[in-house]
Amino acid sequence: MEGGRLENVYRLRVANTAEVARRYRVSASGLDTLAVASESEIEVAPATTAQFAMRLRIEPGVAAKGSHPIEVAVQAADDPAVAARERSVFLVR
């Protein structure tokens, strides 16, 4: 990765149960400098489930080799009450 940054790729699946298309904001937490390197806002058609590739990056030297717990959050842009959080891990080699 350029500048020595470390990147992990995840498959993100988002279900929109509303009858209208909805935009969602994607964020991640759990490590210093952890950032979404792919689109941080996604759109899902009405009453469907969509899959997206989500890339997360950290700066070099932030974490030791191994598996580090993180949390991914997805929140509707128009309604903060429509949200989900999932735990995952960020791997450093």
Side-chain angles (χ1 to χ4, degrees), residues 1 4 17 30 44 70 85:
M1 192 85 256
T17 58
V44 181
I70 62 167
R85 295 186 170 290

Side-chain angles (χ1 to χ4, degrees), residues 26 48-49:
V26 180
T48 61
T49 299

